[in-house]
Each structure stands twice: as C-alpha cells, then as structure tokens.
Amino acid sequence: HCKRRGAKKILCRLAEELQEHGLEKKICLKKSECLGKCGRGPAVQVLPTEEIYGLIKPDHCEEFVLGLKHKKRPPKKLLLKR
C-alpha cells in the first residue's frame, strides 16, 4: 500500500528537508520494509522511540523534519497508536 501511495516521493522529500535544514548528518534516513500499517501508509518509524507516524503526505515532510529538529518529535497528529 505504501508504495502505491507515494512512499518513494515521501522518502525523497524527507531527504530534501533534512538537507535543507542541515540535518542530513544528524538524522539517518533509511528505506524499510513493511511496518505493518497497511491502510495508514506511507508510514515512518522514528528510532529509538519506535514511534510510527502514518498517512504521511509530501506536505507533511517539512513539519515532520522541523519537529525532529526543534521538539525532537514529529507532529502528534501523524502519530499512529500502537
């Protein structure tokens, strides 16, 4: 599901935002296999907390990265319950 919903575009956009905000050496971005959140993807997992954020759209990427940069946490509205 994630692939069909633009996961590759999200990955690229997150990488661009990390670079734009000077975080590409502080935050490691990796493509993963399925996170088991079908129907709520594309999903992103943040480590070491293992929190999973879902229904990510390209418009969310800057806010997501800034959340990591300033608050050390992406927007709660995207957080999926475990």
Side-chain angles (χ1 to χ4, degrees):
H1 288 97
C2 290
K3 189 175 184 177
R4 286 182 293 201
R5 291 185 178 164
K8 186 174 182 178
K9 186 174 184 176
I10 300 299
L11 186 67
C12 291
R13 183 88 165 105
L14 285 170
E16 290 169 3
E17 290 295 337
L18 288 172
Q19 188 169 6
E20 186 175 314
H21 294 283
L23 299 171
E24 70 277 6
K25 293 184 180 176
K26 293 181 181 182
I27 297 175
C28 180
L29 181 65
K30 292 183 180 181
K31 179 182 174 184
S32 73
E33 295 300 319
C34 182
L35 295 174
K37 299 299 177 188
C38 299
R40 294 180 280 174
V44 174
Q45 184 175 38
V46 176
L47 299 174
T49 63
E50 296 187 9
E51 293 175 322
I52 297 177
Y53 296 82
L55 298 172
I56 308 288
K57 295 182 175 28
D59 293 347
H60 296 133
C61 292
E62 182 177 22
E63 182 181 12
F64 194 91
V65 168
L66 289 174
L68 291 171
K69 181 178 182 178
H70 297 296
K71 302 172 195 162
K72 306 293 185 209
R73 190 170 195 179
K76 281 189 174 186
K77 67 183 178 186
L78 301 173
L79 182 63
L80 299 177
K81 298 196 186 219
R82 294 182 188 243

